[in-house]
Amino acid sequence: MPDLSRIRIPPPVTIVIFGASGDLTQRKLIPALHTLAGSGLLPERYLIVGVARTPMDDDTFRQHMREGVQSFGRGQVQDGPAWDGFASKLHYKHLQYDRLEDYQDLAGYLAQLEADNGLPANRLYYLATPPEVYAPIVQQLGAASMCKTGNGYTRIVVEKPFGRDLASAHDLNGKLHYVFDEEQIYRIDHYLGKETVQNIMVFRFANAIFEPLWNRYYIDHVQISVLEDVGVGRRGGYYDQAGVMRDMFQNHIMQLLTLTAMEPPTSWDATLLRDEKVKVLRAVRVPTPSEMAIRSVRAQYRSRKGDGPTYRQEEGVAADSTTPTYAALEVFVDNWRWQGVPFYLRSGKALGDKVTELVIQFKEVPHMLFRTDDRSTNITNTLSFCLQPDEGFHLGFQAKVPGAGMRARGVDMDYAFASTFGEQGLPEAYERLLLDALLGDASLFARADEIESSWRIIDAIHHAWASGDGPPLAFYEPGSSGPDEAVALLARRGRAWTLCCNNGATKS
Ligand code: BG6
């Protein structure tokens, strides 16, 4: 249980989840709200109203949510008053997303519930639906005058994917802005809810040790790896339209890049923080079309021997699909701090391990006085942030090999969050983000210009690839560390991919 005397509790609220019969609600949102409630982090008076097309009564919805909490929540459901108290807050209303009368009906239903429970009209709408109904929902909320309630706040959380390119993201922003002010809009990226991702900022801006070195004079290059061991599973239909650039780069990887590269904001303030992130995105230089073939890699998993999954045989995937399930890129951030420092970004599915890691590779000493131990495979002059699964840091540096002579060898100093904060210490990303949205803190949510700046980068890559300027589609074995072409991308510059997480300092 957190120390509640030091934590702000949000005001009474009604949370309205659109898409309440779907996976996200059952697996993530309700388990997160259940944990928040159990930790005393929700106000005493609140309601959660699930909305979706499927007809269902309150009891069925509660049962469905109970199964979600049981299967996907942190900790078991406590039968008795604890669960009954939470369940009594859950309600369900079915509606057609594009029918105005249904929204007018919903408005009356919410007003009645609020009156019955003595709640002010503070509303948090959450769009957990498929993205194609975001626009109709927003338009109907506007038409039914549900975007601004007189005596409370109204906010809207929008899930990813936010658009599929710059034009569609701009269009969706336009539709949202037609009925909501930017301050009311919370575009969610669950990576920003991860403790270890937020910790990049604390590490950089609460310590004076590393920041003076955080620039082109001391850093050779930066690597961001978001590697997954799972394939596309049952999401083939969605994924084949999206591909790795839309699914992982536009959002999660760009967030990691901006947090690593941004200047310190003058205070922890949503506007100032996001201003700095947008500056980074605007400074990102993607390879020109003629460089694209040597600075980018796109690949798909394919089992040669037929004993592993092959992307083109996954359910919902076209048999001749060229959608990449893996990509690697070399980009630069054109500003004073980072001029000339390559950022290597990679992400892929069906790889050997699930690892998310940020590696800062510092420059070597200008002149080495000592012989290095040839047997040492350790990586040196490296600061690595393990974001998942073994959250912590690694600092790789040279130390003297004991005994005669003056031989140096790479050693690893590591810090694991679990050793200080315990295994249970890290909350789920959705807990943090839902709480922030309820508190009105948009710092960890993407702003309209941030999303659009990020799409500018992704679009440039997609356009080059589509016009034939990119590299040919490569293939990699499922369960491997990725395509050989990604190794070659760094090898060409005398570098190698590094991973320090999972206790395995490795280069490839
Ligand atoms: C989602 C992507 O945004 O992030 C998925 O749509 C991906 O394809 C997931 O698997 C990865 O999230 P995490 O938290 O498991 O790294």
Side-chain angles (χ1 to χ4, degrees):
M1 191 82 155
D3 175 5
L4 296 179
S5 62
R6 300 168 69 91
I7 290 178
R8 255 189 333 133
I9 306 293
V13 62
T14 302
I15 302 165
V16 183
I17 304 176
F18 290 88
S21 56
D23 255 19
L24 182 68
T25 306
Q26 196 201 28
R27 284 170 173 260
K28 296 287 183 191
L29 304 183
I30 296 294
L33 288 165
H34 177 259
T35 304
L36 289 175
S39 314
L41 294 171
L42 290 187
E44 222 163 273
R45 284 175 299 138
Y46 70 92
L47 292 170
I48 300 168
V49 179
V51 175
R53 286 179 283 220
T54 318
M56 208 186 318
D57 60 20
D58 283 358
D59 282 343
T60 312
F61 180 59
R62 287 170 185 161
Q63 184 52 33
H64 191 48
M65 295 303 110
R66 188 184 184 287
E67 285 157 20
V69 173
Q70 190 74 45
S71 310
F72 308 110
R74 291 203 292 146
Q76 296 289 301
V77 169
Q78 303 290 330
D79 278 317
W83 172 254
D84 293 347
F86 181 73
S88 70
K89 312 281 190 189
L90 299 175
H91 299 267
Y92 185 82
K93 182 101 179 110
H94 91 269
L95 121 173
Q96 294 303 321
Y97 291 128
D98 54 357
R99 203 154 72 200
L100 178 58
E101 307 88 83
D102 287 5
Y103 287 78
Q104 289 161 335
D105 196 25
L106 177 65
Y109 175 77
L110 293 175
Q112 189 61 51
L113 269 183
E114 285 161 352
D116 292 348
N117 289 276
L119 285 169
N122 286 333
R123 301 253 179 91
L124 184 78
Y125 300 125
Y126 198 115
L127 302 191
T129 59
E132 47 290 2
V133 291
Y134 291 170
I137 295 174
V138 168
Q139 279 160 349
Q140 298 305 339
L141 285 171
S145 306
M146 294 172 74
C147 298
K148 293 196 176 78
T149 48
N151 61 347
Y153 71 73
T154 308
R155 300 183 189 132
I156 184 163
V157 181
V158 187
E159 262 294 336
K160 72 169 272 270
F162 195 98
R164 53 172 287 107
D165 53 18
L166 175 57
S168 56
H170 184 70
D171 184 59
L172 182 56
N173 274 329
K175 291 190 166 116
L176 278 159
H177 288 151
Y178 193 68
V179 287
F180 290 101
D181 295 333
E182 177 62 26
E183 292 66 42
Q184 295 177 278
I185 305 168
Y186 291 68
R187 296 172 194 79
I188 202 163
D189 180 326
H190 78 279
Y191 265 57
L192 286 177
K194 290 179 191 278
E195 285 292 321
T196 43
V197 173
Q198 294 158 33
N199 203 43
I200 298 172
M201 287 180 283
V202 176
F203 188 94
R204 287 192 57 198
F205 303 137
N207 295 301
I209 312 171
F210 292 104
E211 198 53 26
L213 309 180
W214 211 263
N215 55 51
R216 61 192 297 264
Y217 300 109
Y218 297 98
I219 293 179
D220 178 74
H221 71 273
V222 175
Q223 297 182 12
I224 297 175
S225 299
V226 184
L227 312 178
E228 295 188 274
D229 50 358
V230 292
V232 296
R234 288 185 300 134
R235 298 166 74 222
Y238 147 77
Y239 195 90
D240 208 32
Q241 299 301 312
V244 67
M245 297 304 291
R246 293 189 178 91
D247 190 51
M248 299 298 282
F249 277 73
Q250 183 274 327
N251 34 67
H252 311 324
I253 290 201
M254 287 302 146
Q255 289 296 344
L256 296 175
L257 171 66
T258 54
L259 298 180
T260 307
M262 73 184 198
E263 297 301 315
T266 47
S267 65
W268 180 256
D269 167 276
T271 303
L272 300 177
L273 182 69
R274 295 184 298 176
D275 284 350
E276 295 306 335
K277 288 166 73 187
V278 171
K279 283 187 211 161
V280 174
L281 291 170
R282 291 202 176 127
V284 169
R285 174 176 27 112
V286 294
T288 60
S290 61
E291 295 167 338
M292 204 57 90
I294 54 159
R295 294 206 174 154
S296 70
V297 171
R298 51 179 168 154
Q300 226 180 46
Y301 58 88
R302 180 174 70 183
S303 170
R304 281 204 194 87
K305 296 188 216 105
D307 52 359
T310 287
Y311 177 67
R312 289 179 182 172
Q313 289 165 5
E314 301 277 19
E315 187 189 326
V317 172
D320 58 352
S321 172
T322 54
T323 301
T325 58
Y326 180 104
L329 291 178
E330 180 185 59
V331 300
F332 290 86
V333 178
D334 279 341
N335 61 19
W336 279 44
R337 188 191 280 262
W338 294 112
Q339 191 53 239
V341 178
F343 284 71
Y344 295 105
L345 317 174
R346 64 172 170 166
S347 179
K349 293 221 181 269
L351 297 165
D353 276 315
K354 178 172 174 71
V355 183
T356 304
E357 185 163 338
L358 159 66
V359 176
I360 310 294
Q361 179 64 57
F362 292 96
K363 293 184 176 171
E364 302 285 329
V365 289
H367 172 61
M368 188 62 164
L369 300 183
F370 312 107
R371 264 199 313 127
T372 46
D373 190 335
D374 294 339
R375 284 165 309 165
S376 163
T377 52
N378 281 6
I379 292 154
T380 57
N381 291 298
T382 304
L383 173 65
S384 154
F385 293 74
C386 295
L387 305 170
Q388 53 188 9
D390 66 335
E391 293 91 346
F393 309 125
H394 293 258
L395 187 64
F397 54 93
Q398 298 280 2
K400 181 181 177 300
V401 178
M406 290 297 282
R407 268 185 310 129
R409 160 169 183 193
V411 292
D412 181 34
M413 190 159 84
D414 58 8
Y415 167 76
F417 276 90
S419 60
T420 302
F421 298 108
E423 292 291 348
Q424 292 302 313
L426 299 184
E428 272 289 304
Y430 277 94
E431 294 168 25
R432 168 64 194 251
L433 294 174
L434 278 162
L435 190 60
D436 280 5
L438 293 171
L439 288 165
D441 183 352
S443 307
L444 299 177
F445 293 83
R447 208 167 57 189
D449 52 350
E450 190 179 343
I451 291 266
E452 292 187 19
S453 304
S454 158
W455 274 121
R456 176 191 66 83
I457 298 165
I458 305 303
D459 274 11
I461 294 159
H462 276 148
H463 287 156
W465 285 355
S467 61
D469 285 322
L473 183 70
F475 294 93
Y476 60 101
E477 199 61 33
S480 69
S481 60
D484 296 344
E485 288 77 354
V487 175
L489 176 81
L490 270 71
R492 219 173 275 131
R493 320 261 178 208
R495 299 185 174 112
W497 292 104
T498 305
L499 284 181
C500 300
C501 292
N502 292 340
N503 294 325
T506 57
K507 279 183 184 246
S508 64

